[in-house]
Structures are given as structure tokens and as C-alpha cells.
Amino acid sequence: MSNPDAVVIGAGLIGVSVAYHLAQAGLKVVVLERRPRPGEGSTLRATGGYRAQFATPINIQLSLWSRKKLLEFQEETGVNPGYQPCGYLFLASSPSEWEELQRGLHTQHEAGLSEARAVSPQKIAEINPHLGLEGIVGGSFCPTDGFIRPANLLQGYLEAAQRRGVEFVFGLQDWQAVLNGDQVVGIRTPLEAYSTERVVNAGGAWAAEVGRKFGLELPIHPEKRQVAVVAGPSPLPETMPMSIFCSDGFHLRVRDGRVLLLLPQTPPTTDPFDTTFDPRWLPAVLARAQQRIPALAEAQIDLEACWAGLYEVSPDKHALVGPVRERPGLYLVNGSSGHGNMHAPALGACLAELLSAGQTTLDLRPLRPERFAEGQPNLGSVLL
């Protein structure tokens, strides 16, 4: 029997970040992953956005801490995280959307994101001259938002964790939680038993399945998201900010010389974990691109290059982070709702503080797992 200080379930970017930060804090760590390689759940399917423009203080604080760690990442791990502060530009098409963005800016300024600002249609045309601005009444822009490379972050934390002695077990299809009453006391696999009173659920979109191993029903579910890739070289610059239309969530960016189009409206499927690209979604996203981006008026889609992935979504679109009262020894870091890669550096540091010292730099009460049972979800802008 092995006796690690902590076992992490899941080797996506969040799980690997947790493992690295735990090892950095001096803990002996084992990571268990059912896939043959790290990051094959959702991490490597992400488009790589980073932003601090959120509507709640806790998400802004997670972003600001992650940004600090992004700036230190190469020195810390030896890998360039690919952070490019090209900005995020939110576009309002109605007075109500404009007011909601301004409320978000007030929260952001109070939380320390002083560089985020309201922008007029005229200023929007200067920031991103490639947009058609018909119907746009205003927006918000933060120049320190931008892009990251999730694969680079994964590589950096993985290699740094291994240098610190973290053991990774891949291809593990079966395991059982070991409980003494309600107390977590270990994990048993066909190959080895691990005696530990610290287990971290970093299962991503599969977090609820991990929770069921402990007899819990976690309020997290997968949601499919698709990425359309425009055929041919991009007519738009790589430095163009992520540009998001608040009216329907349509957004686009340029990565590796290709335009990526996204719209959070995916055709239904009987398998909640299905990541097969569904072309029925393409007419809607292509029509928006052709209408709103003049340079894409004649755009076509490279169907072979398109892909889909999964968000891990909680009821209030905020992560569940911290201990589970019903299962002492089990810790959650789940439900980031599309923000997992950008918040992974901070979430890993938070879990390491919590498990090693019992307290955290950030006040994690807004993310406590029991907030839904208490009737106290996070309330904020639906646009941010």
C-alpha cells in the first residue's frame, strides 16, 4: 500500500496544476487519470482565452492571481505559457446589455481590475476595425485580457510536477473510493491501494461521475461547445482581441493563422459526453460571422478542422472549490464553466494552500460546495 499525502483524480490542466502546487508545498502526490495521456478530456480542446472581465469579485480575483502566475510561469516551470494580452472586447447591442457591462466594470474596478474600461462605438472601431458595428451601442474592453496556450500550461505544470516527484498513473479505467464511515481514507485500484485522507476531485466535465464514487450527487454537468474553423488563411490579424457579441454569445479570435468562430448553441445529443462535431450548428454561426465581420462576408468553413469539447458547468457558472462536508477528506475543484484553463494556475495554488495549511489567500467562501444547498448561489451578470 502506498501512502501519499494526497491523491488527485484527473490529469487535465486543473488537476496537474493542483498536483504541482501540492508538491511545491512539500506534499507527496499521486495523480490518477483514466485516459492514456494528460489533458485529453477538455484541456486540449480549448481555444485558449484568458480574461479578468467577470461580474463577481471571486472570478476576477482568480483571474488576477492567474495572470500574476502566467507572468511568472516560464521562470517557474521553464515553459512559455503563450500569454498574449490582446484584450477581450464585449459588444452591447441594447441599452440593457450596455448597462449590464457597466455594472460589471464597477465590480471589476472595485476588485482591482483598473484597466478595464467602457468603450463607445467609435472607440470600438479603433480597437477592432474589422467588426461591423451596426446596432452596437457600446462595449467594454480590457487590454490585459487575451490568450493563453493550454497545452503549454499543461506541459509546464506536468514537467515541473514530475521533477518534484509527483507520480502519474494513466490509463486507469477502474478505481474505488475507500471510506471509514463518511471519512475518506483512500483509493483502491486494481494495481495498488493508496492510503490517504486527502483526495481531490479534478474530474472536469466528468466530476459528477467521480463524485458518485463517493456516494455524492454533485451539481455539475457537461455542456458541449463547438469551434468552427474558417477555410483558408485568416484575413484578420492574430493580435485582434477576442470579440464577443453579448446578444447571443457569438465570438471569434484568430489562432495559428486561422479564424475560429464560436456560438454557445449546440444541437442536443443523447450522450452528454459526446464530443463529435455536429455540422447542424454551422449555418447559424457562419451566418453571424458573414453578417458581422465584413472580411468574412464570403467565408466558408473547413469542416475537417472543426472540433467540439466539453464545459463542466455548475448551476451558477462558478467553480465548486473546497472540502465536502458530507465526505471529510474529499476536496472539489470542479465546475469552472468554461473558465478552467484560465483559472487553473490560481485554483492549483488555492488547493495547495487549503490542503497544506488549512487556509487560503483568497476568500473561497463564494465557491464553497454547499452554497447551493444553502440557497446562496453566486449572482452576477449573465453576459460575464
Side-chain angles (χ1 to χ4, degrees), residues 3-289:
N3 295 278
D5 296 311
V7 173
V8 178
I9 308 296
L13 179 52
I14 290 178
V16 174
S17 174
V18 169
Y20 163 73
H21 286 94
L22 287 173
Q24 187 183 46
L27 276 65
K28 180 183 177 183
V29 183
V30 174
V31 179
L32 306 180
E33 169 58 55
R34 67 178 181 178
R35 297 170 187 81
R37 288 169 294 276
E40 291 190 332
S42 296
T43 298
L44 299 180
R45 296 175 181 265
T47 57
Y50 162 82
R51 65 177 165 111
Q53 287 186 88
F54 283 97
T56 57
I58 185 59
N59 271 347
I60 299 164
Q61 291 161 1
L62 286 171
S63 289
L64 291 176
W65 195 0
S66 284
R67 187 175 73 192
K68 180 178 184 295
K69 294 182 74 63
L70 288 172
L71 294 171
E72 301 167 348
F73 192 84
Q74 186 161 7
E75 181 179 354
E76 186 174 359
T77 70
V79 177
N80 186 332
Y83 170 51
Q84 295 177 291
C86 298
Y88 260 56
L89 177 61
F90 286 89
L91 304 160
S93 302
S94 68
S96 62
E97 291 171 7
W98 171 235
E99 291 169 5
E100 202 162 351
L101 289 179
Q102 292 185 87
R103 285 194 294 271
L105 284 166
H106 177 74
T107 302
Q108 292 154 23
H109 293 163
E110 286 194 330
L113 187 66
S114 58
E115 63 269 33
R117 61 185 187 268
V119 287
S120 66
Q122 293 75 21
K123 190 62 179 179
I124 290 169
E126 295 176 19
I127 294 169
N128 189 349
H130 307 283
L131 299 174
L133 296 181
E134 182 179 356
I136 300 299
V137 300
S140 66
F141 179 68
C142 182
T144 51
D145 289 350
F147 308 119
I148 56 176
R149 295 280 182 171
N152 292 24
L153 288 165
L154 183 71
Q155 177 191 352
Y157 279 142
L158 177 70
E159 293 175 353
Q162 290 172 325
R163 288 195 295 270
R164 289 183 175 272
V166 174
E167 176 188 352
F168 287 85
V169 181
F170 294 105
L172 184 65
Q173 296 295 324
D174 185 37
W175 58 272
Q176 291 81 40
V178 182
L179 305 176
N180 181 6
D182 292 333
Q183 173 72 49
V184 175
V185 295
I187 299 292
R188 183 179 297 111
T189 80
L191 301 176
E192 190 161 4
Y194 301 95
S195 176
T196 183
E197 294 187 352
R198 300 184 185 97
V199 175
V200 178
N201 179 352
W206 294 263
E209 290 193 340
V210 174
R212 291 185 189 103
K213 297 271 193 174
F214 296 86
L216 301 172
E217 288 296 328
L218 302 180
I220 297 167
H221 67 276
E223 283 191 8
K224 189 175 183 178
R225 290 292 186 271
Q226 301 202 137
V227 183
V229 182
V230 174
S234 172
L236 308 172
E238 296 249 357
T239 55
M240 187 186 80
M242 181 80 85
S243 300
I244 304 172
F245 290 78
C246 296
S247 58
D248 55 14
F250 169 77
H251 56 290
L252 74 159
R253 66 159 297 191
V254 181
R255 190 180 76 178
D256 299 329
R258 307 294 296 275
V259 178
L260 308 183
L261 308 175
L262 300 99
L263 179 69
Q265 299 175 6
T266 306
T269 176
T270 56
D271 177 6
F273 297 100
D274 173 43
T275 56
T276 304
F277 185 81
D278 190 332
R280 293 178 296 170
W281 168 85
L282 282 174
V285 71
L286 184 58
R288 285 164 172 80

Side-chain angles (χ1 to χ4, degrees), residues 369-384:
E370 61 270 17
R371 66 184 184 271
F372 302 111
E374 296 171 349
Q376 295 184 340
N378 291 287
L379 302 177
S381 166
V382 297
L383 305 181
L384 299 170

